[in-house]
Structures are given as C-alpha cells and as structure tokens.
Amino acid sequence: GGVDLDEIERLRGMADALPVALPADLPLVINPRGFRPGSVRNDTFFQAIPLVLERLPEVHFVCPGMAGQPEALKWVERFHLQERVSLLPFLTQAQLWGLFQRAAVTVSVSQHDGTPNTLLEAMACGCFPVAGDIESIREWITPGVNGLLVQPAQAQELAEALLIALQNADLRERAAAANALLVAQRASAPLVRQAALDYYQCVLAGPQADPQPL
C-alpha cells in the first residue's frame, strides 16, 4: 500500500514512551527486521556489533521485536553486549517511526527479500540505510549516495559500512534529503494505490487492454 507520509508527519513526536529507556544523546543504530530465518542475516548483524564498538564504543544498538528471543539473547551474551544493545518487544507503528526519526542508521541485512516496508519507512524518516546487496534493494539504494550495501554474510563489511555512516554526518544529511524525495516520488501511499488500481482496471478491461507493470 505504500508509505503513508502524511501519517508519519502527523505522528511526529507523538509516539508513546518506549517500553525500555534508551540512552540519551548517543548515536543509535536500529535493526527493525526481527527474526526471519533464511532471509534476514541477524548473525551477521550481531557479529558486526563488537567490530563497530572497537572504534565507536558510544554507539547503541536497538532491536525491536527481539525481546526474549533466544537467538538474540545468545548473541548478546556471547559478545557481552548487555550495555550496548536494547532488545525491544514489538512496537506500535508510531513508536517505530519515532525510533527511525531518532536513529542515525537502520540495518536490514537480508540475503533474499522483497522491498521491506521498514526500509522505506526508515528512509522516509531520514534514517540512513545499510542493507544487504541484493537485487530488490538495489532498486532503492545507490551505494554512497543514499545508503550503503553490503554482502549479507560479511560481518566485517557490515561493520565498515556502519562506521562510514556513523562517522559521516554530511553523507547522512545528503542521503536523508535524497531518500525523502525518492520515497515521495516512488513509494508514497497515494501513488502506489493509484498504480495498483490502474493496473487491475486494465486487467479487468480484458485482453485488448495493455496493463503497465507496477
């Protein structure tokens, strides 16, 4: 259905308090994907965290949808990340958007995927995207322009991308402007819904019609 940019703006600053207090005035990296076995490489994500913290120990990582998850708890314990990672329960839409607006970087490391709603929502909120280098994501992210892409199984590569993003405020600022325009032009809810309606109307009109791809 596209990204509801009007609703994102309407709810700006109105989200309920998060269930866990996050450190104030620290750079945040958010992983909003939760656990999707076989698709999202959270093993790569957690292995990259200590590599980032070696050079930027003040960074805090936020993981909605991972509270109480045995796999997440295992990684946090293995790398002693209790003070640097917040495992949150599933959040309301307003809470998630509020986190995107607050965080510096969003991480979506998939080895196969469609176009995640959370990726587009983060981009619309000004959060810099670091994602797996797969075909569906290359349609949205030009590396070094409006985000960074990494090999999904390479923790060192992910860590380097996160460090580049966290240490380059100008890159994040330019990307935020580019992504706001990109989402508005290609993924806003009214545009996507109208395109879907036009497509199905062409299909219903019969074989003489020529429906255009979405």
Side-chain angles (χ1 to χ4, degrees):
V3 179
D4 193 335
L5 300 176
D6 291 338
E7 186 70 358
I8 288 176
E9 189 59 35
R10 186 183 73 81
L11 293 175
R12 186 178 292 272
M14 296 174 59
D16 295 333
L18 295 171
V20 174
L22 299 179
D25 303 323
L26 292 182
L28 298 182
V29 174
I30 180 172
N31 176 349
R33 301 304 308 281
F35 283 97
R36 291 169 170 79
S39 173
V40 177
R41 293 296 302 266
N42 280 317
D43 56 336
T44 303
F45 168 71
F46 281 107
Q47 289 173 60
I49 292 176
L51 302 176
V52 173
L53 294 175
E54 286 178 4
R55 289 164 58 182
L56 291 179
E58 71 275 15
V59 177
H60 195 82
F61 294 81
V62 186
C63 306
M66 294 195 192
Q69 294 287 340
E71 184 176 343
L73 294 169
K74 177 194 72 173
W75 286 113
V76 167
E77 183 177 354
R78 175 178 176 181
F79 292 121
H80 309 289
L81 300 173
Q82 291 83 351
E83 300 301 317
R84 287 291 175 258
V85 174
S86 292
L87 303 177
L88 304 184
F90 291 100
L91 303 179
T92 67
Q93 188 69 82
Q95 287 172 326
L96 184 59
W97 289 343
L99 265 180
F100 285 147
Q101 290 157 0
R102 179 179 171 184
V105 182
T106 184
V107 179
S108 178
V109 186
S110 301
Q111 59 189 8
H112 63 82
D113 214 338
T115 301
N117 287 343
T118 52
L119 176 67
L120 298 181
E121 290 166 355
M123 292 165 66
C125 290
C127 193
F128 187 90
V130 176
D133 188 4
I134 57 177
E135 184 175 358
S136 60
I137 307 303
R138 287 194 291 269
E139 295 180 13
W140 295 95
I141 294 178
T142 302
V145 176
N146 68 325
L148 293 170
L149 300 178
V150 300
Q151 294 302 310
Q154 297 297 320
Q156 183 67 52
E157 188 175 339
L158 174 58
E160 291 297 330
L162 291 173
L163 288 165
I164 289 170
L166 289 163
Q167 294 176 309
N168 195 330
D170 288 342
L171 173 62
R172 298 199 308 272
E173 185 175 349
R174 292 194 303 270
N179 285 331
L181 182 61
L182 178 65
V183 174
Q185 291 179 336
R186 291 185 52 196
S188 66
L191 289 176
V192 172
R193 291 166 188 168
Q194 186 61 52
L197 178 61
D198 292 344
Y199 182 85
Y200 286 111
Q201 284 178 336
C202 286
V203 171
L204 292 172
Q208 71 276 11
D210 183 20
Q212 297 299 310
L214 293 175

